[in-house]
Amino acid sequence: MTAPSPDGLRQRRRRHHRRVIVPLTVVSALAGGAALSGCGQQRDPDVYTVMNSSTDESYHRWDAQTLARCSKLLGVRIEQQSVPAAQVMTKALRMASSKSLPDVLQLDASEMPTFAEAGGLIPLKDLGLTTKDIPEGIVNFGSYEGTYYGAARTVNTLALFYNKDTLDKAGLKVPTTWDEMQSTAKKLTQGKRYGLALSAGGAEDGVFQFTPFMWSNGGDETKLDSPQVAGALDYWKGLLKNGSLSKSTVNWTQADVNDQFMAGNAAMMINGPWQVETLNARKGLHWGIAQIPVPKAGDDSVGPLGGGILTVPNTGDSAREKMSAKIIGCMSSRQEQITYALNSWMVPANEKAAAVWRKKVPELAALSEQVATARSRTAKLGAGWSSVSLALQSAFQSALTGESSEAALKRAQQRATAGN
């Protein structure tokens, strides 16, 4: 993630969906070396460190409050070390090299398989943590090759946000199918206002936003050149061709999309709950949220799970690793999940916690429904997801600027297979 803007909001809105590509050989050498060599740094037995990406003032404060409560409960001092999200992996690798890894490492779930594949993480069930009351999709979100390495406190996904006043004035209902969204977006495109905004940029933001269209259409990341994936990309091309999407879509991040929606330049947008705080801060903006429309009525709207997971690095110090698991257990307890979710507008990972959350924020019920069918980007490919992501990013840029979807995706599949 790039440095935050002066108000810190752009950083917050981007923080959930970035991917740092780190060569596996580097991870293997450093993470494996740290585990085999044991701890190279003398540590205070009563002081533990949690490294995360909570550099934004609000997130840092919320995490500090959580750690203060857990410190009191567990009888140890837990310190927070926050670094910019894009630097978490590289920072962790440097710490592994110097045998000074933190006790708890919060990773983006899309990054975890790379670290786990190198043997750099301890399976959480080996340390006494369970997956009781956690939906299968969220368990998979924190797993690599069937082993549970990362506990989520909250998760997020994408949904359809819409301007209530704009739709009401036009006498239009919230679309639920692709045909309805195409028709509604076209009717709402007037003057400088586009009917829909989404991110199709050459970065992970664009891939994150494409997955609900690809998956809901029956497409799969293991075969990018399938008719189903091409159909999803053709749908995007159709929205662009009829003027419902701005040509700048190919350059927009999810933060840019939110800016357009808030400025009244888009009547609807595809985005996530991390935007809610800024949306609520805009006086006079009456927005609603719904599941992302599907190819045809009755289909499941399958979106991507996003968010961070708490892991225990393999430091070779079993006693500290056990306490690290207790820290994760406290941070991801039912009440802490509810508290964090209400602060951050995310959805609790625990089903019972999520039930309480839904009653407190009924306006986000559609988001909870979207999470119920969402899945992890890395569930099928693990560390191989990074190659698919890069291939898709290139395909978007080509297809949305003139090349056929079939040709762009055929090349993307070849690139993904080659692993570059």
Side-chain angles (χ1 to χ4, degrees), residues 27-170:
V27 182
S28 299
L30 297 182
L36 292 174
S37 302
C39 295
Q41 179 188 56
Q42 288 296 109
R43 307 187 187 211
D44 188 323
D46 295 321
V47 179
Y48 289 76
T49 302
V50 174
M51 191 169 86
N52 57 30
S53 59
S54 300
T55 52
D56 178 83
E57 186 278 330
S58 295
Y59 283 89
H60 193 81
R61 171 166 40 85
W62 299 332
D63 278 334
Q65 292 167 351
T66 295
L67 296 181
R69 290 188 291 268
C70 290
S71 292
K72 184 176 181 180
L73 178 67
L74 298 173
V76 296
R77 190 166 89 235
I78 309 171
E79 297 179 344
Q80 177 179 201
Q81 181 180 6
S82 299
V83 298
Q87 298 176 23
V88 170
M89 277 288 281
T90 51
K91 174 73 171 178
L93 293 173
R94 286 195 299 269
M95 296 175 79
S97 181
S98 62
K99 304 177 181 62
S100 59
L101 280 163
D103 297 289
V104 174
L105 176 61
Q106 180 176 305
L107 293 168
D108 184 89
S110 66
E111 295 173 342
M112 179 273 293
T114 301
F115 221 95
E117 188 172 41
L121 301 175
I122 302 293
L124 295 185
K125 289 186 178 180
D126 291 355
L127 297 173
L129 293 179
T130 74
T131 55
K132 183 181 179 182
D133 297 327
I134 303 176
E136 182 180 359
I138 298 178
V139 173
N140 292 336
F141 182 63
S143 300
Y144 172 66
E145 293 189 343
T147 300
Y148 183 58
Y149 289 103
R153 289 184 288 173
T154 58
V155 293
N156 60 68
T157 190
L158 295 168
L160 178 72
F161 289 74
Y162 58 92
N163 187 307
K164 290 182 176 181
D165 293 338
T166 301
L167 264 71
D168 287 346
K169 185 176 180 179

Side-chain angles (χ1 to χ4, degrees), residues 159-337:
L160 178 72
F161 289 74
Y162 58 92
N163 187 307
K164 290 182 176 181
D165 293 338
T166 301
L167 264 71
D168 287 346
K169 185 176 180 179
L172 297 170
K173 295 181 178 180
V174 180
T176 60
T177 65
W178 282 8
D179 284 347
E180 290 176 0
M181 183 159 69
Q182 189 172 50
S183 173
T184 300
K186 181 63 177 176
K187 292 176 181 177
L188 292 174
T189 299
Q190 296 181 10
K192 294 182 178 180
R193 186 188 69 207
Y194 290 92
L196 180 67
L198 55 79
S199 169
E204 186 71 11
D205 275 14
V207 178
F208 197 76
Q209 295 228 329
F210 183 64
T211 54
F213 295 87
M214 175 173 71
W215 290 337
S216 298
N217 199 43
D220 191 282
E221 58 270 33
T222 62
K223 189 171 176 54
L224 299 180
D225 54 355
S226 72
Q228 292 81 5
V229 180
L233 189 49
D234 280 340
Y235 182 72
W236 273 17
K237 291 186 69 171
L239 291 169
L240 192 65
K241 184 177 180 179
N242 73 15
S244 297
L245 289 177
S246 167
K247 292 181 179 179
S248 297
T249 293
V250 296
N251 299 315
W252 282 346
T253 65
Q254 293 179 120
D256 296 326
V257 169
N258 192 57
D259 290 341
Q260 295 297 320
F261 182 75
M262 290 180 65
N265 296 329
M268 302 181 291
M269 71 169 176
I270 305 296
N271 228 313
W274 53 92
Q275 310 291 12
V276 170
E277 186 175 5
T278 54
L279 291 174
N280 285 342
R282 177 59 61 91
K283 293 183 179 180
L285 177 61
H286 303 123
W287 58 272
I289 188 171
Q291 287 189 296
I292 297 174
V294 292
K296 60 181 183 299
D299 289 345
D300 285 333
S301 183
V302 186
L305 281 173
I309 53 174
L310 299 168
T311 69
V312 177
N314 185 353
T315 63
D317 188 332
S318 59
R320 290 189 71 92
E321 289 165 0
K322 289 178 181 177
M323 177 55 74
S324 298
K326 290 182 180 180
I327 293 171
I328 291 177
C330 178
M331 293 178 69
S332 60
S333 65
R334 191 183 307 174
Q335 185 54 54
E336 289 296 343
Q337 285 194 22

Side-chain angles (χ1 to χ4, degrees), residues 18 24 110 233 251 299 353 363 382 400 403:
R18 77 284 176 274
L24 183 57
S110 66
L233 189 49
N251 299 315
D299 289 345
E363 66 273 22
L400 295 177
E403 188 177 19

